[in-house]
Amino acid sequence: MRAARVLAAGLVAAATTAVVRRALNAAPPGGPDRWTRTNHRDEPVSMLEGPAAAAGLVAGATACGAAPRTRAALVIATGAAGAFGVVDDLAEDAATRTKGLRGHLGALARGELTTGGLKVLGIGTTALVVAGVGTPRRRSAVGHVADVVVNGALIAGTANLVNLLDLRPGRALKASAALTAPVLAAREPGSTGALLGVVAASAPADLAERDMLGDGGANALGAFVGTQWACAASRPVRVTALATVVGLTLASERVSFSAVIDRTPWLRRVDRLGRRPAEPAAGAPDSGGTAG
């Protein structure tokens, strides 16, 4: 039964992701140029993967067989994070682009509402609503409020953290799969299957650098994972997870995740698994050529 639930949710999520991606490619809203960005190789890449992945996660959540409270929390958190992320992707003013959570919060403190600031407020508010929906009632009102706050912060924080990781092909997909698989497969097998189905459907084009998640896809993935932890993990695990998310987020303001990954051999191997090889350095001989 458990394996069947994982398989069914994974197939629904993967199929939805593929169908929506194909439909968006045939008729991209606003035209293909609106969804095209330049990646780390200075090559054009499409952000249509993001809304397709978010749609797959929502479809997988509805078919995952979890409790109604959990399904509702997954659908609301993922759909809202994906929507606010897409708004930031498409409406951000490149001339006044604000980077990082600190930058968005600083702009809000100055009374400036950027698209990134709107995303922070939108995802944060939705995460608290989702936490209220998905957190079981406790006898202690104080304990229940504390759980709601922890869960809301965990959902919003994980949505932001996965987005911070989306700087190289496949990295956010791999991180999301790693975060969902070990602990949650036993507690929420259907939702884990849904996320893995979206990863499987999205990975080929992402790793080949034809597609990228953008904020719409990365925020949706992170919100989905955060909601899984909020709904399925024990209080000590959730508090530990939140502390880790906060610590990594604060570290990202000072340290480059890409630099840390490149300096750590096992992380570098995982990060580059399935990706196109790096371009040879300027002036270096072509490995496929002949010595002259």
Side-chain angles (χ1 to χ4, degrees):
M1 177 65 73
R2 194 176 293 270
R5 187 181 299 175
V6 172
L7 182 60
L11 288 174
V12 168
T16 301
T17 302
V19 169
V20 171
R21 179 64 186 87
R22 192 174 300 117
L24 289 172
N25 193 59
D33 290 347
R34 193 179 186 197
W35 296 89
T36 301
R37 296 294 183 273
T38 302
N39 69 2
H40 67 109
R41 297 180 194 264
D42 290 328
E43 296 176 351
V45 61
S46 173
M47 293 194 301
L48 291 170
E49 175 190 351
L57 290 169
V58 169
T62 62
C64 72
R69 184 192 297 267
T70 300
R71 290 202 306 271
L74 287 167
V75 168
I76 296 169
T78 304
F84 283 112
V86 167
V87 169
D88 193 25
D89 283 332
L90 299 182
E92 181 183 31
D93 184 356
T96 59
R97 189 172 188 183
T98 304
K99 298 289 287 183
L101 185 61
R102 183 170 60 180
H104 296 313
L105 293 177
L108 286 171
R110 296 190 301 270
E112 301 172 13
L113 182 60
T114 63
T115 55
L118 176 64
K119 184 180 71 172
V120 170
L121 290 175
I123 292 178
T125 301
T126 306
L128 284 174
V129 171
V130 166
V133 170
T135 303
R137 290 282 176 184
R138 294 184 178 273
R139 291 182 180 178
S140 165
V142 173
H144 178 69
V145 170
D147 277 344
V148 169
V149 171
V150 168
N151 289 348
L154 181 58
I155 294 166
T158 309
N160 180 65
L161 179 62
V162 172
N163 191 37
L164 292 175
L165 292 170
D166 189 34
L167 295 177
R168 291 294 184 270
R171 185 179 293 173
L173 294 173
K174 293 171 185 175
S176 299
L179 287 170
T180 193
V183 175
L184 298 167
R187 298 289 300 272
E188 289 292 346
S191 62
T192 299
L195 188 140
L196 295 178
V198 169
V199 169
S202 303
D206 197 302
L207 291 169
E209 302 184 30
R210 298 189 301 272
D211 278 0
M212 64 181 286
L213 285 165
D215 289 6
N219 284 141
L221 277 166
F224 190 96
V225 172
T227 306
Q228 285 184 300
W229 283 86
C231 292
S234 65
R235 181 184 286 176
V237 171
R238 286 183 282 116
V239 171
T240 302
L242 176 59
T244 303
V245 168
V246 171
L248 289 172
T249 302
L250 293 175
S252 73
E253 298 287 342
R254 296 180 175 274
V255 179
S256 164
F257 285 165
S258 292
V260 172
I261 290 169
D262 285 341
R263 289 197 303 264
T264 309
W266 72 271
L267 285 175
R268 185 171 65 247
R269 285 194 295 271
V270 172
D271 189 52
R272 295 182 181 179
L273 183 65
R275 282 171 46 185
R276 290 168 52 192
E279 297 290 345
D286 186 344
S287 60
T290 344

